[in-house]
Amino acid sequence: MIRDDAHHARWMELALEQARAALTTTDVPIGAVIIGPDGSVVATGHNEREATGDPTAHAEVLALRAAAAALKDTGHDDGWRLAQCTLVVTLEPCAMCAGAIVLARIPRVVFGAWDEKAGASGSVFEVLREPRLNHWVEVFPGVREDECAALLTGFFRSMR
């Protein structure tokens, strides 16, 4: 698996594109991309809570669901274990998403902006590296942080 900063930055651009897609609705612009072991995009997602009325329709959860389905169709293990993938997301995952990441056995998370109010990857909680859980995640925070934060700040400013 490729883990250098240049790849993280390039992958974050894909997540930012997904976040911008959420702007077509009133959803918070958060985007996620699942990268496979060969560096290719397996699945994408962006927030759809407002669009679908589903409180679990966070970018990460939607990307995890799509990746599991895509990998199951290719005969990759049982599909739901994403043990060779990387999740790239524009905002630090919340507790729900971090729990889903752990359960999906994602080994690496790359995120952009910190979420000082609800983050579960080091800000408020530390779910991804909780030693009492049976799976731990390597975390790469702050990738293109300013761009990710600016997208969110601009969105919330426009909502006021």
Side-chain angles (χ1 to χ4, degrees), residues 48-96:
E48 295 183 16
R49 291 184 309 169
E50 299 297 330
T52 63
D54 178 356
T56 68
H58 288 206
E60 301 96 320
V61 170
L62 296 175
L64 289 170
R65 289 175 185 162
L71 291 176
K72 187 168 185 73
D73 289 344
T74 64
H76 175 77
D77 296 323
D78 52 17
W80 68 266
R81 285 186 185 93
L82 305 177
Q84 297 180 33
C85 296
T86 299
L87 171 68
V88 182
V89 62
T90 57
L91 182 66
E92 178 185 6
C94 69
M96 176 186 70

Side-chain angles (χ1 to χ4, degrees), residues 121-144:
S121 305
S123 287
V124 179
F125 304 106
E126 183 56 274
V127 174
L128 295 182
R129 294 176 284 201
E130 170 55 54
R132 294 171 290 186
L133 296 176
N134 66 339
H135 177 74
W136 305 283
V137 180
E138 189 175 15
V139 178
F140 297 89
V143 175
R144 296 179 69 169

